[in-house]
Amino acid sequence: MMSQPEPFLPPPTTSRSPPLRFGLLCHLAQLPGSLTQDELPCTPGSLSGSLLRPQGLTEDEDVQAMLRGSRLCKIRSRTWQKERLYRLQEDGLSVWFQRKIPRALSQHIFFVQHIEAVREGHQSEGLRRFGGAFAPARCLTIAFKGRRKNLDLVAPTAEEAQQWVRGLAKLRTRLDAMSQRERLDHWIHCYLHRADSNQDSKMSFKEIKSLLRMVNVDMNDMYAYRLFKECDHSNNERLEGTEIEEFLRRLLKRPELEEIFHRYSGEDRVLSAPELLEFLEDQGEDGATLARAQQLIQNYELNETAKQHELMTLDGFMMYLLSPDGAALDPAHTCVFQDMDQPLAHYFISSSHNTYLTDSQIGGPSSTEAYVRAFAQGCRCVELDCWEGPGGEPVIYHGHTLTSKILFRDVIQAVRDHAFTLSPYPVILSLENHCGLEQQAAMAHHLRTILGDMLVTQALDSPNPEELPSPERLKGRVLVKGKKLPAARSEDGRILSDREEEEEEEEEEGAEAAEQRRRAKQISPELSALVVYCCATRLRTLRPVPVPPQPCQVSSLSERKAKKFIREAGNSFIRHNAHQLTRVYPLGLRMTSANYSPQEMWNSGCQLVALNFQTPGYEMDLNAGRFLINGQCGYVLKPACLRQPDTHFDPECPGPPKTTLTIQVLTAQQLPKLNAEKPNSIVDPLVRVEIHGVPADCARKETNYVLNNGFNPRWGQTLQFQLRAPELVLVRFVVEDYDTTSPNDFVGQFTLPLNSLKQGYRHIHLLSKDGASLSPATLFVHIRIQSS
């Protein structure tokens, strides 16, 4: 159903809060070290909002050099090395680059907020392979979030390379420090600057209409012109100076926030600390005290006079609700807050399948950069498919396919250099070993010499040898998962594979390939010695009667075999996973590297639920949501019902509903345009809330769609869910562009555990398919969680 859009620009209202100034005016003037109001950007006569000016970055020599631009050589291969002009845009948020064939503007820029890291020297696979002719001091690599390939560059001089390295670091630091409100103001002024077609710092009605289309709203011409004339106090059919500020102030009004604010502030239109405390208590905030309310006023109020009198204005209230303290994700859960001293088997562990691939498993390229990206996403278990290589050097690739090959030793070097950049907790190397004895010995040599003391080569002293060590005890260490002598021998004396379903794969292969597998099922003593806590074993059946725990044994199951255990063994599988690690991987038939839903495996306590990290989709959204908490360290403590050795929990029979989740979807703000090259393309957004948990809890409900308004659509619809196992639930908020004739288009999403979802009025900060921020795009919702 379509929701009829309401007029989204209300008439002016009187308020005791100070007038809102834009282009970073309203808040930067109050920040320590900021410029005075007269020096701030976007005053009358300037429409361009810039990240640079408020912090004095326009005077910075490195940033000035970037604004002038540099001719940098882009390296793709030994033969593809092209010189291109790269120049920082005036907004300070994007870099324009030259192309041989001109394309749409969006194909000529990249954004600072999408940069994952900037590396100096030959610190990428591309520059190590193809940049040998250039001095390391002249080289840099820009690594991006998501699937975008690295940008390997060579500057004319070492100093020019350093200017870009230092300049990008300063811009990223400044961007990270910006509040959501600052990002919103900057965002609107960037569009304002683009809409000012003749750059005269004045806005005609035609330019105003262009601005509205750019920010994703289609407004009735009569209504838009009425608003335009109400702001045109000079009556000259142009808005300038304070008239533009008034227009923007009204454009960005949040009537729903004003209504909430006035409900608590009363007639004086300011919140005292006790009134703010009342709001916090109604929100269900943990630790809501008068001191906490006073602290929030000091943190978020923009008006110094109000702050001195412990009062919060509407602007301060909006700053608070747009901050991490006002977000749906509990800020206390963004750092490591769980007990990290329990055995490894008590944690969900972020795990990757075919980690070396950057695309499909049939003909896609293999790359050490895929490991770097996985670690940057918090992954703690990576896979290495090891095969015989030339010159006695084992290689990694997807065997018997057209995927490219990379050296085993290069991957181990990437592990050494990048495994602990984001998380200090242990990394597991899951070896899929197809090498003969000689190259297995070479693998063991590389593991020992490259990783050194990082590598666990013998069991730690433990008061309880029947339990795996904890993530805390294994901080900074690397574990090898693989085959072990002599315990892994079968009755006929051969070494068992570390994959349960390998015989199924053999049936799909030719005789020669199957024979190569059989030859490789020997194991060298050197490699066996490095398998300490993760001995690969085959899990054929699950016994209902408890057997002596064997914590160091790890089973690898295909998704099909894992689902069979879940369906037929239920509680026995959960008890097995309470003391032993289980790794689940996608079926080999998923040729495009598609993923399965990890939730079903988590419901049964499987720790190492391996996904194709290179393939975006709802499955990876769930994985990112599961590991969003606990400092994104890659380890999340399983619920108690999945850790107890004598648990009776069965995800197929979770019992009666225990929790009611009620979500009122109120509004959205500044949703991205899906087709920036088509000015008249406006989204028709709807919101879907998905529950992922035990089968009885899984559900999805959605709002109506709002026609032609991606700027500030309003729904006011309530969605309710009954939950039987809330401790396992992930909540996924999805925004889509409704289409009557084809599947809806994805706009943005955010996923988090129910136990980390805060109650009350909350903003949800949306992410792209690749997990990048879509700031300033948000959903505004009210959340209520009731336990029965």
Side-chain angles (χ1 to χ4, degrees):
M1 292 177 61
M2 182 187 74
S3 177
Q4 292 297 328
E6 303 174 15
F8 71 102
L9 294 176
T13 58
T14 57
S15 171
R16 291 180 57 181
S17 58
L20 190 63
R21 295 181 61 81
F22 290 87
L24 312 183
L25 301 183
C26 61
H27 27 270
L28 287 183
Q30 310 298 333
L31 297 179
S34 294
L35 305 179
T36 66
Q37 184 166 298
D38 291 338
E39 295 170 299
L40 286 168
C42 301
T43 52
S46 171
L47 297 184
S48 62
S50 174
L51 175 71
L52 309 177
R53 299 178 204 175
Q55 297 298 311
L57 288 179
T58 49
E59 305 304 319
D60 182 273
E61 291 184 3
D62 296 324
V63 174
Q64 281 186 333
M66 294 172 66
L67 286 167
R68 290 191 298 269
S70 299
R71 299 199 68 83
L72 306 176
C73 183
K74 179 179 178 180
I75 308 292
R76 278 189 181 172
S77 67
R78 296 190 196 283
T79 57
W80 201 104
Q81 301 181 3
K82 309 288 186 182
E83 190 177 87
R84 296 280 188 264
L85 178 63
Y86 290 80
R87 185 171 61 233
L88 178 68
Q89 301 287 80
E90 289 186 5
D91 59 12
L93 288 177
S94 57
V95 174
W96 177 90
F97 54 91
Q98 184 182 32
R99 282 182 179 272
K100 183 176 181 180
I101 302 174
R103 302 185 186 179
L105 177 63
S106 61
Q107 302 297 310
H108 281 268
I109 60 173
F110 64 81
F111 292 95
V112 175
Q113 72 173 6
H114 293 161
I115 295 176
E116 181 74 55
V118 179
R119 307 180 208 151
E120 304 177 50
H122 295 167
Q123 294 299 312
S124 72
E125 184 179 57
L127 285 175
R128 280 194 293 267
R129 292 177 64 188
F130 310 126
F134 305 100
R138 293 170 52 198
C139 299
L140 66 145
T141 297
I142 300 175
F144 296 96
K145 300 172 184 176
R147 302 184 72 186
R148 184 167 185 161
K149 294 180 180 178
N150 288 354
L151 188 56
D152 292 321
L153 300 171
V154 180
T157 66
E159 176 55 25
E160 200 159 354
Q162 279 299 305
Q163 287 174 334
W164 278 85
V165 171
R166 293 190 301 255
L168 287 171
K170 293 168 188 174
L171 293 174
R172 294 176 67 208
T173 299
R174 169 62 193 131
L175 187 60
D176 289 343
M178 287 177 72
S179 70
Q180 181 75 3
R181 185 66 173 275
E182 289 180 82
R183 292 169 187 259
L184 170 59
D185 289 352
H186 190 278
W187 175 85
I188 190 64
H189 267 82
C190 288
Y191 280 112
L192 188 67
H193 183 62
R194 284 173 53 189
D196 182 19
S197 56
N198 59 0
Q199 300 298 299
D200 64 353
S201 296
K202 299 176 184 179
M203 299 295 290
S204 66
F205 178 64
K206 182 180 179 181
E207 290 171 328
I208 286 291
K209 282 289 290 182
S210 175
L211 170 69
L212 293 173
R213 287 192 296 268
M214 286 179 183
V215 299
N216 218 352
V217 66
D218 185 19
M219 190 192 298
N220 176 276
D221 279 358
M222 289 181 62
Y223 185 76
Y225 187 68
R226 178 161 62 89
L227 175 72
F228 176 86
K229 291 304 293 181
E230 287 173 357
C231 297
D232 183 18
H233 302 300
S234 57
N235 202 30
N236 65 353
E237 297 297 322
R238 294 286 190 276
L239 301 186
E240 55 184 308
T242 56
E243 296 171 338
I244 294 175
E245 291 181 9
E246 180 181 346
F247 180 85
L248 295 183
R249 185 163 59 247
R250 296 180 61 187
L251 184 67
L252 294 171
K253 280 178 79 74
R254 296 282 302 276
E256 76 281 19
L257 290 188
E258 292 183 19
E259 192 276 329
I260 298 167
F261 179 81
H262 295 154
R263 192 188 312 162
Y264 288 89
S265 65
E267 294 182 0
D268 60 0
R269 297 297 194 258
V270 289
L271 283 175
S272 65
E275 288 171 332
L276 180 57
L277 173 59
E278 182 185 359
F279 172 76
L280 297 177
E281 290 173 340
D282 289 350
Q283 288 271 88
E285 285 278 3
D286 294 330
T289 63
L290 186 62
R292 173 62 175 161
Q294 292 166 337
Q295 185 60 53
L296 289 175
I297 291 173
Q298 294 303 310
N299 289 348
Y300 298 109
E301 179 50 50
L302 307 170
N303 185 293
E304 288 295 338
T305 302
K307 188 185 294 188
Q308 291 169 8
H309 290 84
E310 293 191 341
L311 298 173
M312 180 175 274
T313 64
L314 175 60
D315 285 344
F317 186 66
M318 292 175 69
M319 282 285 285
Y320 159 57
L321 286 178
L322 284 167
S323 75
D325 283 322
L329 173 65
D330 190 340
H333 291 189
T334 58
C335 57
V336 176
F337 72 98
Q338 295 181 330
D339 178 7
M340 302 303 288
D341 286 309
Q342 299 201 31
L344 284 180
H346 287 188
Y347 297 85
F348 296 128
I349 304 172
S350 181
S351 304
S352 164
H353 175 65
N354 287 350
T355 313
Y356 48 90
L357 291 179
T358 59
D359 207 329
S360 80
Q361 63 185 42
I362 298 301
S366 304
S367 172
T368 58
E369 291 295 331
Y371 289 88
V372 178
R373 292 190 179 213
F375 290 136
Q377 295 177 68
C379 184
R380 298 288 84 191
C381 178
V382 295
E383 185 177 29
L384 293 78
D385 278 3
C386 308
W387 295 81
E388 296 264 320
E393 285 292 342
V395 296
I396 291 176
Y397 82 113
H398 199 261
H400 312 301
T401 68
L402 299 177
T403 57
S404 61
K405 302 174 183 179
I406 51 178
L407 291 176
F408 177 85
R409 68 163 183 251
D410 288 347
V411 172
I412 303 306
Q413 287 171 352
V415 172
R416 176 196 64 196
D417 295 341
H418 299 280
F420 301 104
T421 302
L422 183 69
S423 169
Y425 293 105
V427 164
I428 300 172
L429 304 183
S430 181
L431 300 185
E432 177 78 13
N433 181 13
H434 304 276
C435 295
L437 294 176
E438 184 177 339
Q439 293 206 11
Q440 287 182 45
M443 290 165 58
H445 173 75
H446 290 320
L447 286 165
R448 285 184 180 274
T449 57
I450 295 171
L451 296 178
D453 292 340
M454 288 183 179
L455 186 66
V456 174
T457 56
Q458 58 186 13
L460 308 180
D461 294 332
S462 172
N464 188 354
E466 294 187 351
E467 288 185 345
L468 288 167
S470 70
E472 190 66 31
R473 286 207 69 195
L474 290 167
K475 264 186 173 179
R477 307 298 298 276
V478 176
L479 306 175
V480 173
K481 170 188 165 295
K483 306 166 190 175
K484 181 80 172 172
L485 289 172
R489 290 189 181 274
S490 66
E491 294 179 0
D492 61 2
R494 66 183 176 85
I495 306 303
L496 296 179
S497 165
D498 56 340
R499 272 201 184 174
E500 171 68 28
E501 302 295 325
E502 197 159 277
E503 64 271 15
E504 295 182 11
E505 296 177 9
E506 288 185 5
E507 294 174 4
E508 301 168 7
E509 296 175 343
E512 182 180 346
E515 178 61 27
Q516 185 174 349
R517 280 187 181 275
R518 280 186 280 274
R519 285 200 306 270
K521 286 178 183 175
Q522 306 174 68
I523 186 159
S524 73
E526 296 92 339
L527 192 57
S528 175
L530 302 183
V531 180
V532 179
Y533 286 118
C534 299
C535 307
T537 58
R538 180 167 293 174
L539 184 62
R540 293 189 180 278
T541 59
L542 285 167
R543 302 175 187 174
V545 179
V547 295
Q550 298 174 303
C552 294
Q553 293 188 358
V554 183
S555 303
S556 284
L557 308 175
S558 75
E559 56 177 293
R560 178 191 298 158
K561 188 62 176 285
K563 287 179 179 180
K564 185 173 185 290
F565 279 138
I566 292 168
R567 185 174 60 253
E568 297 177 359
N571 178 256
S572 296
F573 194 30
I574 291 176
R575 292 190 179 197
H576 171 88
N577 291 329
H579 57 79
Q580 286 183 225
L581 294 174
T582 297
R583 181 176 181 269
V584 182
Y585 59 89
L587 278 173
L589 298 176
R590 294 180 178 271
M591 301 302 183
T592 59
S593 295
N595 281 312
Y596 57 95
S597 173
Q599 184 66 46
E600 189 174 5
M601 314 307 169
W602 290 326
N603 291 341
S604 294
C606 298
Q607 302 87 352
L608 304 166
V609 182
L611 298 177
N612 289 295
F613 271 48
Q614 75 274 21
T615 308
Y618 87 91
E619 303 92 348
M620 277 304 298
D621 293 343
L622 296 184
N623 194 76
R626 176 66 67 195
F627 296 101
L628 177 67
I629 63 169
N630 211 32
Q632 300 184 52
C633 73
Y635 285 80
V636 169
L637 191 64
K638 297 195 292 188
C641 64
L642 299 180
R643 304 195 309 264
Q644 298 158 350
D646 56 351
T647 181
H648 295 287
F649 179 76
D650 186 341
E652 300 296 316
C653 305
K658 303 174 185 176
T659 300
T660 300
L661 171 64
T662 305
I663 298 174
Q664 187 179 15
V665 181
L666 299 170
T667 60
Q669 295 75 41
Q670 293 80 53
L671 299 177
K673 286 179 72 73
L674 299 185
N675 193 336
E677 314 306 335
K678 292 185 178 180
N680 294 322
S681 175
I682 310 292
V683 299
D684 303 326
L686 62 81
V687 177
R688 184 173 64 253
V689 178
E690 301 174 355
I691 301 298
H692 298 265
V694 298
D697 285 346
C698 290
R700 52 173 59 193
K701 297 181 180 180
E702 62 187 34
T703 67
N704 301 334
Y705 69 92
V706 175
L707 185 65
N708 287 339
N709 187 351
F711 184 74
N712 57 359
R714 183 179 305 177
W715 292 278
Q717 292 182 245
T718 300
L719 311 176
Q720 193 170 84
F721 305 89
Q722 302 295 325
L723 307 175
R724 292 165 173 78
E727 63 272 27
L728 281 165
V729 164
L730 290 173
V731 185
R732 184 171 183 249
F733 297 87
V734 188
V735 181
E736 290 184 340
D737 179 16
Y738 177 77
D739 197 310
T740 56
T741 58
S742 62
N744 295 344
D745 293 319
F746 175 89
V747 175
Q749 70 85 33
F750 189 76
T751 306
L752 75 170
L754 177 70
N755 288 344
S756 298
L757 183 64
K758 299 203 75 175
Q759 297 193 68
Y761 291 102
R762 300 290 169 188
H763 280 97
I764 294 165
H765 300 263
L766 296 175
L767 304 175
S768 70
K769 279 184 179 179
D770 288 334
S773 169
L774 291 175
S775 179
T778 54
L779 282 178
F780 187 54
V781 299
H782 184 272
I783 297 164
R784 188 178 184 190
I785 304 172
Q786 298 167 285
S787 299
S788 57

